[in-house]
Amino acid sequence: MFDSPLSASAYEVLDVAPDATAEEIKRAFRLRLRQTHPDAGGDASAFIQVQRAWELIGTPEGRAAYDRGHGFATASSTTTGEQDWSGWRAPAPRTDTRPKARAYGHPGGWRRERYLTLIREWAGRGVDLPDPYDPALVRTAPLEIRRLLADALAEEATASTVSDLGMGFTVWHDVATGADPADKLDHVVLSPSGLYGVMSEDFAEVVRFRRGEIIGRGVDGRAPVATLLARMRAIARAAKVRFGGAIIVLPDDDLDQAVTALGKVRGVPVVVVRRSALSMVLRQGVPGARDIGGNELFDVRTRLQHTVRFV
C-alpha cells in the first residue's frame, strides 16, 4: 500500500509533515480516523489506509524504520547501509534450479529504460544521480515518471509469479504490437488452461468497474481493458492465434476481492485479479476461456515463437 512509487506516504495519508512531532501525528491520526470512518460516511479503503499509516509511523521505532526505507530519514539520522531501496531496483537474476516456465523477453525492461532516461532528464543536465531509485527522489518526480517505475515493478512481479508455475507454461514479455513501443503487450502467457493476454498495472488505489472497464481516480481516464484487448488483437492477427481470455493483474491492495470477472468484453472473457491470485487463475483458467492442449498447444507456441517481436 505504501511501497508503490505512486502511493501516498504515511505522512500524506495522515495529513502531517514528515517532521511532525509524535503528538502531532497522534492528533492527526485520531482526526483522520473520525473523518474516514465508514459509520460516519467515510471511505472504507481510506479508513484502512489511515490505520496502516499509524502502524508504520505511530511508534518511534516504526517511524525510524519507515523513514529509512522511504527516503524521509535525514543524513544525520542514518548510517551507511541502513537505507534500503532494493525493492525498487531491477530484480537480481534468479539462481535457484527448480523448473521454471519458458520465458522470452525482458519484463519491465522498456519501462525501466524509459524511467531512467526521463528521471535524469527531469533532474537536469550535469546533475549527479548516484541512485535513481532513491525514494526521496522518486517521490518528487512527476506522475508520468513515477508511473513508469510503478508499471515496471508490476510487470516484474507478474513475471516472477508466472515463472514459478513450471515448464508447462510459456510466457513472452514486452511484446511489440505496433510501431510505438509504448503500445506493447506486457505478457502473453500460454498454458494448458488457455492462451492469455496479460496486462500488469498499479493504480495505487482500490479500483471500481463500469460496463466492462476499470475506473477510478488512479486510472486517470485510461481504458485498461479496451487497451489490452486491442493489443491482443494485433498479436492474434499477426500470429494467426486465438486468445482464450484477458487478464489484468493489480497489486492486492487495488482490489476488494481476489478475482473480479467482467464477463465477455468484445467476445473475450476478461478477469481482473490480485497479484496473489494470479497463479490460481492461470492454473484453473479464466471462466469461459477455451482450453488448449496436445497438438494445438504446440502449434500455438510455434506460431508465437515465429511471430513475436519485442520492444
Side-chain angles (χ1 to χ4, degrees), residues 290-303:
R290 185 174 61 92
D291 291 347
I292 294 179
N295 292 335
E296 184 182 5
L297 190 148
F298 178 80
D299 180 58
V300 169
R301 181 187 297 124
T302 300
R303 289 174 181 270

Side-chain angles (χ1 to χ4, degrees), residues 11 54-70:
Y11 295 105
W54 173 253
E55 292 173 4
L56 291 171
I57 64 174
T59 65
E61 299 80 8
R63 184 179 182 184
Y66 177 83
D67 286 354
R68 286 195 301 272
H70 292 75

Side-chain angles (χ1 to χ4, degrees), residues 87-94 100-116 133 148-164 170-176 181 184-189 198-201 249 275 278 308-311:
W88 289 0
R89 297 187 187 281
R94 303 177 71 110
K100 300 295 179 183
R102 283 174 279 196
Y104 305 92
H106 188 173
W110 182 81
R111 286 199 164 96
R112 275 203 182 266
E113 288 295 328
R114 287 293 297 158
Y115 167 78
L116 291 172
Y133 299 111
L148 284 167
L149 179 56
D151 286 346
L153 293 167
E155 292 172 29
E156 291 161 2
T158 293
S160 178
T161 297
V162 176
S163 177
D164 287 337
T170 307
V171 56
W172 295 262
H173 304 291
D174 268 7
V175 177
K184 69 181 182 67
L185 182 52
D186 295 345
H187 323 273
V188 174
V189 180
V198 182
M199 175 181 284
S200 302
E201 290 283 356
V249 187
R275 189 175 295 151
L278 178 60
V308 164
R309 300 293 180 268
F310 304 100
V311 297

Side-chain angles (χ1 to χ4, degrees), residues 102-284:
R102 283 174 279 196
Y104 305 92
H106 188 173
W110 182 81
R111 286 199 164 96
R112 275 203 182 266
E113 288 295 328
R114 287 293 297 158
Y115 167 78
L116 291 172
T117 297
L118 294 180
I119 195 75
R120 291 186 172 106
E121 288 180 358
W122 171 74
R125 291 181 179 273
V127 175
D128 184 29
L129 290 184
D131 187 353
Y133 299 111
D134 180 343
L137 172 70
V138 174
R139 193 173 53 251
T140 59
L143 175 62
E144 60 269 23
I145 295 179
R146 289 185 283 124
R147 181 171 286 144
L148 284 167
L149 179 56
D151 286 346
L153 293 167
E155 292 172 29
E156 291 161 2
T158 293
S160 178
T161 297
V162 176
S163 177
D164 287 337
L165 292 174
M167 294 185 66
F169 293 77
T170 307
V171 56
W172 295 262
H173 304 291
D174 268 7
V175 177
T177 64
D180 187 347
D183 295 333
K184 69 181 182 67
L185 182 52
D186 295 345
H187 323 273
V188 174
V189 180
L190 178 61
S191 76
S193 70
L195 174 66
Y196 303 112
V198 182
M199 175 181 284
S200 302
E201 290 283 356
D202 179 354
F203 298 119
E205 68 164 11
V206 178
V207 300
R208 295 173 288 118
F209 305 94
R210 184 173 62 198
R211 298 176 183 176
E213 189 54 88
I214 300 174
I215 61 172
R217 181 179 53 190
V219 182
D220 194 26
R222 290 172 290 165
V225 173
T227 298
L228 172 58
L229 294 176
R231 294 173 185 178
M232 288 167 54
R233 284 197 299 273
I235 298 300
R237 287 194 299 267
K240 295 182 173 58
V241 296
R242 179 182 173 189
F243 282 92
I247 304 172
I248 295 182
V249 187
L250 301 181
D252 285 12
D253 290 323
D254 283 11
L255 285 173
D256 283 330
Q257 57 188 30
V259 181
T260 299
L262 302 183
K264 287 191 175 182
V265 181
R266 301 180 185 177
V268 179
V270 179
V271 295
V272 184
V273 306
R274 287 178 176 172
R275 189 175 295 151
S276 60
L278 178 60
S279 294
M280 175 194 69
V281 170
L282 287 174
R283 285 195 173 103
Q284 296 181 357

Side-chain angles (χ1 to χ4, degrees), residues 27-73:
R27 287 199 302 268
F29 167 62
R30 291 171 177 168
L31 174 62
R32 293 290 291 140
L33 272 185
R34 292 195 298 271
Q35 292 173 335
T36 60
H37 199 290
D39 291 345
D43 181 83
S45 62
F47 182 68
I48 293 171
Q49 276 199 320
V50 169
Q51 293 175 302
R52 178 60 177 146
W54 173 253
E55 292 173 4
L56 291 171
I57 64 174
T59 65
E61 299 80 8
R63 184 179 182 184
Y66 177 83
D67 286 354
R68 286 195 301 272
H70 292 75
F72 290 101

